[in-house]
Amino acid sequence: MTKDPARRAAVDVVLAVDRDGAYANLLLPRLLRERAITGTDAAFATELAYGTLRRSGVLDPVVAVGARRAPDTLDPEVRSVLRLGAYQLLHTRVPPHAAVSTSVDLARELGGPKITGLVNAVLRRVAQRDWPQWVDELAPTGDPVGRLAFERGYPRWIAAAWLDALGNDLAELDRALTDERPSTHLVARPQRITRAELLADAGPTASAGPWSPYAVHLAGGDPGGLAAVRDGRAGVQDEGSQLVALAAAQIPVEGPDLCWLDACAGPGGKAALLAGLLPHGGRLLAADRTPHRAVLVRQTLASDPRAAVVVADSTRPAWVNRCFDRVLADVPCSGLGAMRRRPELRWRRQPADVDRLRVLQADLLTAAVEAVRPGGVVTYATCSPHLAETIGVLDSVLADRPDVELVDARAALPGVPDLGPGPTAQLWPHRHGTDAMFVAIVRRKLD
Ligand SMILES: C[S@@+](CC[C@H](N)C(=O)[O-])C[C@H]1O[C@@H](n2cnc3c(N)ncnc32)[C@H](O)[C@@H]1O
């Protein structure tokens, strides 16, 4: 029993992420549903849980000063309550006395009376300064990127990678690091439902997305409550992901255009859009290495007779090379381009993840280039703007391949502005309202 269900749900999520490696975007909706927390309480729980997780790595130095010890020496329950309390004190309009007293109550619920004194004392010390004062005290000096990263609640290495991808424009980095609360994006799957029908079903909080002709944005509400989402005529899919599938389907190929491959298809969002865009008589093969993700692709494709799903390692293909007209390689990546939807991700990812992934990414791009026939195209996509995963992988693969050429991906995204200097295309949340998807299109030259 709790007298504060919203804060209790928030701290349970913060704790589960810290202690059990949970994913907030999966756990929080489940807790809210199970505990029948709705309306403004659900919105408050979400703001507290997501905000605390986004900023946990810069709240910890503040907690450390307040506790006079490193947060990783505290019990996870205490650490989570302190992070949540510090977030409320420094980043919300919750009055300080309420932030402290509700945190003491949560501490009592989670850890018993022996920890309430500690929580009370630490949060009173945290409350002695506001966030700008803590930034002055704790952010690195003589390091504009490090200071901005601290102020906005990002690890420095991610801010530095963003700065590289933005062409060293510090003012734009400032905009890019401003967290926004993303709306839910839906896709109206072609040949299953029109966007007009989906808009009508979705009600007054829905609006048409600005770039994809299939995108609908929901300002509020639970997409799982929509019949079209439940029966698969529509799906939850960021508009940037829709643009990737559209680019893969729309860039011109020389010669026939019937045989398409999605080499990294799970869970199937882009495959479902590709299937709906196939030309008359066209076929799509959707592959994923992981069996349970292949099952999800099958569900998303909803027994579409033009599509087949295989469990396959696309670096050791189960198909004949040089036979596909189009290949999509939407490779596994750090996912940092979708940080706005996964609040803990920025602190969980490490630079070593990028180093490990780019080897697999290069292998998958190489295999995709082998799979496509001369005259056909490969679309390489990542949900990360990190240059090591984008341009770095392209450069490493294409350097030894005189048989391929980069084509201007921006031409496959007509009407979408500010995609960068080309020939690749980079979407950004602060420019386009999408996840930070990267798209490159490689044509295999005719022999
Ligand atoms: C970024 S996700 C793809 C998202 C998907 N295109 C969509 O829109 O729903 C990358 C996928 O690649 C799969 N994968 C990783 N290594 C692979 C490999 N060697 N061969 C095939 N699939 C692989 C992962 O299981 C994961 O499902």
Side-chain angles (χ1 to χ4, degrees):
M1 292 298 286
T2 177
K3 54 183 178 182
D4 193 347
R7 284 190 179 83
R8 179 60 196 257
V11 81
D12 284 346
V13 171
V14 172
L15 177 60
V17 167
D18 181 22
R19 191 187 53 197
D20 312 325
Y23 297 99
N25 62 335
L26 303 181
L27 179 60
L28 180 66
R30 181 161 69 72
L31 287 190
L32 296 178
R33 213 171 32 248
E34 285 171 4
R35 299 179 188 182
I37 301 170
T38 56
T40 51
D41 278 352
F44 187 51
T46 305
E47 156 61 14
L48 292 188
Y50 273 41
T52 302
L53 291 168
R54 282 193 186 103
R55 290 189 169 261
S56 63
V58 293
L59 291 172
D60 278 0
V62 176
V63 167
V65 173
R68 299 179 177 135
R69 56 193 276 199
D72 59 7
T73 65
L74 297 165
D75 288 341
E77 289 79 5
V78 180
R79 185 164 57 236
S80 298
V81 171
L82 288 174
R83 285 175 174 169
L84 192 75
Y87 178 73
Q88 291 174 75
L89 286 168
L90 303 175
H91 296 291
T92 71
R93 288 165 194 237
V94 174
H97 67 271
V100 176
S101 67
T102 54
S103 298
V104 169
D105 291 342
L106 283 178
R108 190 175 298 109
E109 284 179 25
L110 287 176
K114 64 183 185 308
I115 62 171
T116 56
L118 171 68
V119 165
N120 186 39
V122 173
L123 290 181
R124 281 177 187 282
R125 277 180 222 124
V126 170
Q128 282 166 7
R129 293 175 183 72
D130 62 13
W131 181 241
Q133 290 169 322
W134 281 115
V135 172
D136 283 343
E137 184 162 328
L138 296 174
T141 48
D143 173 10
V145 176
R147 184 179 170 94
L148 191 58
F150 189 94
E151 190 183 335
R152 294 295 160 80
Y154 287 80
R156 189 191 185 285
W157 73 273
I158 291 180
W162 264 220
L163 187 63
D164 286 347
L166 289 166
N168 274 315
D169 183 338
L170 199 60
E172 186 167 7
L173 177 67
D174 196 349
R175 293 195 291 281
L177 297 186
T178 302
D179 277 316
E180 43 128 354
R181 311 288 177 258
S183 56
T184 301
H185 296 183
L186 303 180
V187 59
R189 293 192 169 125
Q191 302 186 32
R192 299 198 217 172
I193 189 171
T194 66
R195 174 157 79 173
E197 288 165 342
L198 182 58
L199 278 166
D201 278 4
T205 72
S207 58
W211 318 118
S212 157
Y214 306 103
V216 167
H217 292 194
L218 281 188
D222 174 15
L226 296 175
V229 172
R230 281 202 307 275
D231 66 23
R233 287 173 294 144
V236 175
Q237 185 177 43
D238 184 80
E239 192 166 359
S241 289
Q242 298 177 38
L243 291 175
V244 169
L246 285 168
Q250 285 173 356
I251 194 82
V253 292
E254 297 166 56
D257 188 16
L258 295 173
C259 203
W260 295 8
L261 170 68
D262 183 346
C264 300
K270 294 184 194 68
L273 189 44
L274 288 176
L277 297 170
L278 279 167
H280 181 69
R283 293 276 182 275
L284 172 71
L285 180 65
D288 203 278
R289 184 174 61 179
T290 313
H292 79 266
R293 290 180 73 85
V295 169
L296 295 175
V297 180
R298 243 173 233 125
Q299 285 165 0
T300 312
L301 285 169
S303 317
D304 188 323
R306 295 161 306 165
V309 181
V310 287
V311 176
D313 178 346
S314 296
T315 65
R316 294 188 181 77
W319 44 80
V320 177
N321 278 335
R322 295 167 72 96
C323 81
F324 290 98
D325 304 314
R326 296 176 189 270
V327 178
L328 171 62
D330 181 28
V331 295
C333 70
S334 64
L336 292 172
M339 274 189 298
R340 61 194 194 139
R341 301 190 189 278
R342 295 179 53 188
E344 69 281 355
L345 186 72
R346 66 187 71 174
W347 301 108
R348 206 170 257 172
R349 283 283 181 227
Q350 299 298 325
D353 295 327
V354 172
D355 290 339
R356 176 178 50 78
L357 282 160
R358 66 187 190 185
V359 177
L360 175 59
Q361 291 161 348
D363 288 349
L364 284 163
L365 176 57
T366 302
V369 169
E370 292 299 334
V372 81
R373 65 163 174 80
V377 289
V378 172
T379 300
Y380 174 82
T382 62
C383 185
S384 167
H386 196 302
L387 291 181
E389 299 182 84
T390 60
I391 309 285
V393 168
L394 280 176
D395 285 351
S396 73
V397 171
L398 301 194
D400 299 329
R401 304 260 347 190
D403 58 328
V404 298
E405 61 190 352
L406 270 179
V407 296
D408 197 335
R410 297 169 302 175
L413 298 168
V416 185
D418 298 327
L419 291 166
T424 59
Q426 179 63 61
L427 294 161
W428 289 98
H430 65 284
R431 289 187 195 171
H432 306 99
T434 63
D435 289 346
M437 301 293 305
F438 169 84
V439 190
I441 298 183
V442 178
R443 184 187 306 281
R444 192 155 185 189
K445 295 179 193 164
L446 292 169
D447 289 330

